[in-house]
């Protein structure tokens, strides 16, 4: 499955391979970001792409799946993700992607946003094991590739997953990625590690842990608690600290803070140039970069005022001036 760098973790005397996934962040980890990431950083073995929606089978074109075309993804291996409750729509789109060369397609069963979940998509499907079984009954035989699932513990309650694990066990899934929160929780509270442990015990499929892996210390604690898990997904916190995957893989954080700032700045500038080249119009460019800076600035000390200033900018020129001032005079690494 995963390509890229393989690392034997002997720190916990576990002697097992760590596989790190870049988590999907819609509006964040698109193909431009993923490609740029691999030019500046390392540590991830593969990326799951943010979801795409199903559309009418005859409307699926190369333009529609542009960000998933193999030639648009020159960095690390990618798993595409689809958000859908329609087995037919899912199968058409998944097979289109399989024909582009993707061996595994992921089904999004975790999206918590009410506008998605209220329509029985993403985490909205989690209280309905029968609908999920029907979907899998139809999709599994129709798929030309393999299926993986990314899920939360439930929509309303963390025990909804207990009724789902036996359903998942009945199908030949590649793996199950679990973010141990409910949809209702969104990102509040802490991941329910006890419920994650229950899922692990119940699953006959490989399980990937995802949620609140912010530091190497988090990784050491969680990998000690779940010694059978060797697949880990990091979403928001690798956008905040893109050095994190490599630090986890190597077990050491040996880049000087001033060098981290330089490297992050180079990554930022690369992204700015790429988005300037590919996005349509200056407003899209500033909006996209401001969205990224919300993550980047979280890794810096006392960056609140800088972020406020950057958010107020209206043009790429104003944006660049504010970012230059930040990096030149204010940037102090250390979240
Ligand atoms: C803005 C935003 C967009 C996201 N988009 C997706 C998505 O497209 N597909 C998905 O499965 N998860 C998506 N997620 C969830 C993340 O992949 C991940 O499961 C979640 O953030 C918890 O992991 P983390 O604590 O490592 O970020 C998104 C999260 C955020 C905050």
């Amino acid at each position: 499955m995963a390509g890229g760098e393989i690392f034997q973790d002997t720190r916990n005397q576990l002697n097992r391979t760590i596989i790190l996934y870049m988590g999907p962040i819609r509006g964040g980890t698109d193909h431009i970001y993923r490609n740029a990431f691999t030019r500046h950083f390392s540590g991830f073995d593969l990326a799951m792409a943010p979801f795409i929606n199903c559309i009418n089978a005859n409307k699926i074109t190369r333009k529609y799946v542009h960000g998933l075309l193999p030639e648009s993804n020159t960095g690390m291996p990618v798993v595409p993700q689809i958000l859908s409750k329609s087995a037919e729509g899912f199968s058409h789109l998944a097979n289109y992607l399989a024909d582009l060369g993707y061996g595994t397609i992921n089904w999004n069963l975790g999206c918590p946003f009410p506008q998605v979940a209220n329509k029985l998509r993403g985490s909205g499907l989690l209280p309905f094991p029968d609908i999920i079984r029907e979907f899998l009954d139809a999709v599994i035989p129709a798929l030309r590739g393999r299926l993986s699932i990314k899920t939360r513990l439930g929509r309303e309650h963390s025990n909804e997953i207990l009724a789902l694990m036996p359903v998942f066990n009945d199908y030949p899934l590649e793996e199950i990625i679990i973010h141990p929160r409910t949809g209702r929780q969104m990102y509040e509270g802490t991941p329910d590690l006890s419920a994650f442990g229950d899922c692990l015990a119940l699953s006959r499929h490989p399980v990937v842990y995802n949620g609140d892996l912010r530091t190497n210390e988090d990784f050491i604690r969680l990998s000690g608690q779940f010694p059978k898990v060797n697949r880990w997904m990091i979403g928001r916190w690798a956008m905040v600290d893109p050095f994190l995957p490599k630090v986890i893989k190597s077990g050491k954080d040996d880049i000087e803070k001033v060098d981290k700032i330089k490297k992050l700045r180079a990554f930022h500038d690369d992204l700015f140039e790429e988005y300037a080249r590919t996005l349509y119009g200056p407003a899209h460019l500033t909006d996209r970069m401001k969205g990224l800076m919300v993550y980047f600035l979280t890794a810096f000390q006392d960056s609140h005022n800088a972020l406020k200033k950057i958010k107020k900018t209206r043009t790429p020129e104003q944006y660049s001036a504010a970012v230059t001032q930040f990096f030149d005079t204010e940037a102090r690494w250390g979240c």
Side-chain angles (χ1 to χ4, degrees):
M1 42 150 302
E5 191 178 352
I6 299 291
F7 176 78
Q8 292 296 325
D9 181 7
T10 48
R11 279 165 290 157
N12 293 336
Q13 267 72 52
L14 298 173
N15 193 30
R16 63 206 159 93
T17 305
I18 295 173
I19 297 167
L20 281 188
Y21 294 62
M22 178 188 281
I25 303 284
R26 208 159 196 245
T29 60
D30 61 13
H31 66 288
I32 304 269
Y33 177 94
R34 297 192 296 268
N35 292 339
F37 184 96
T38 50
R39 287 195 292 275
H40 295 265
F41 303 100
S42 62
F44 279 129
D45 297 287
L46 75 167
M48 183 163 290
F51 72 78
I52 55 172
N53 287 298
C54 283
I55 49 164
N56 222 316
N58 53 23
K59 289 199 180 135
I60 304 173
T61 57
R62 286 175 62 80
K63 188 164 173 226
Y64 185 67
V65 299
H66 168 71
L68 291 166
L69 293 174
E71 58 267 34
S72 310
N73 288 277
T74 49
M76 64 190 108
V78 169
V79 177
Q81 184 188 65
I82 300 174
L83 178 78
S84 175
K85 63 177 175 192
S86 152
E88 201 190 344
F90 185 98
S91 303
H92 279 302
L93 186 52
N95 281 336
Y96 187 94
L97 295 167
D99 291 345
L100 290 176
Y102 289 106
T104 302
I105 309 296
N106 182 264
W107 185 27
N108 180 322
L109 274 183
C111 185
F113 293 102
Q115 59 275 36
V116 168
N118 288 343
K119 291 187 197 143
L120 288 193
R121 294 185 299 156
S123 67
L125 274 173
L126 296 177
F128 305 103
D130 292 346
I131 301 182
I132 290 177
R133 186 181 283 286
E134 254 174 58
F135 180 96
L136 293 172
D137 273 340
V139 164
I140 294 285
L143 274 196
R144 290 198 274 280
R146 287 176 65 79
L147 185 73
S148 71
I149 287 177
K150 182 164 179 284
T151 184
R152 289 187 175 226
L153 297 174
R155 181 169 192 209
E156 306 287 344
H157 307 289
S158 56
N159 61 4
E160 288 165 28
I161 192 89
L162 299 180
L164 292 173
M165 295 312 288
V167 176
F168 296 155
N169 280 346
D170 283 344
Y171 299 88
L173 302 175
E174 172 82 12
E175 62 192 5
I176 301 171
I177 299 120
I178 301 178
H179 174 202
R181 282 189 169 94
T182 61
R184 281 282 179 229
Q185 266 185 290
M186 301 289 289
Y187 294 95
E188 298 297 316
T190 48
D192 184 342
L193 298 180
S194 157
F196 178 79
D198 294 342
C199 296
L200 205 54
L202 288 172
S203 182
R204 80 173 175 93
H205 302 297
V207 172
V208 182
Y209 177 87
N210 166 236
D212 290 25
L213 256 175
R214 297 169 190 233
T215 61
N216 191 34
E217 288 68 37
D218 290 337
F219 175 76
I220 290 168
R221 178 176 48 84
L222 286 165
S223 58
Q225 187 168 351
F226 301 113
K228 284 193 185 143
V229 175
N230 71 344
R231 306 175 186 197
W232 305 85
M233 176 179 279
I234 311 176
R236 295 164 296 168
W237 305 104
M239 291 194 70
V240 170
D241 176 5
F243 299 93
L244 179 60
K246 179 69 189 293
V247 169
I248 287 177
K249 279 280 178 74
S250 65
K252 54 181 194 282
D253 188 357
D254 55 2
I255 304 178
E256 296 289 333
K257 287 184 177 179
V258 19
D259 292 328
K260 282 193 175 175
I261 297 173
K262 272 193 212 144
K263 280 172 185 284
L264 189 79
R265 187 174 187 169
F267 181 46
H268 168 278
D269 293 351
D270 191 354
L271 285 165
F272 186 94
E273 274 175 35
E274 285 293 307
Y275 285 122
R277 210 169 49 75
T278 51
L279 289 178
Y280 186 74
H284 284 128
L285 173 60
T286 33
D287 284 353
R288 181 78 183 87
M289 293 309 299
K290 284 195 259 182
L292 286 172
M293 281 307 267
V294 172
Y295 287 99
F296 292 163
L297 287 190
T298 305
F300 289 86
Q301 292 174 40
D302 305 323
S303 55
H304 184 71
N305 286 340
L307 183 60
K308 249 167 79 182
K309 244 197 241 164
I310 289 168
K311 276 185 168 172
K312 277 196 193 141
T313 61
R314 291 279 164 262
T315 64
E317 293 71 28
Q318 289 170 359
Y319 169 86
S320 291
V323 168
T324 299
Q325 185 188 340
F326 170 74
F327 278 122
D328 280 351
T329 63
E330 297 162 34
R332 279 190 300 141
W333 183 267
C335 19

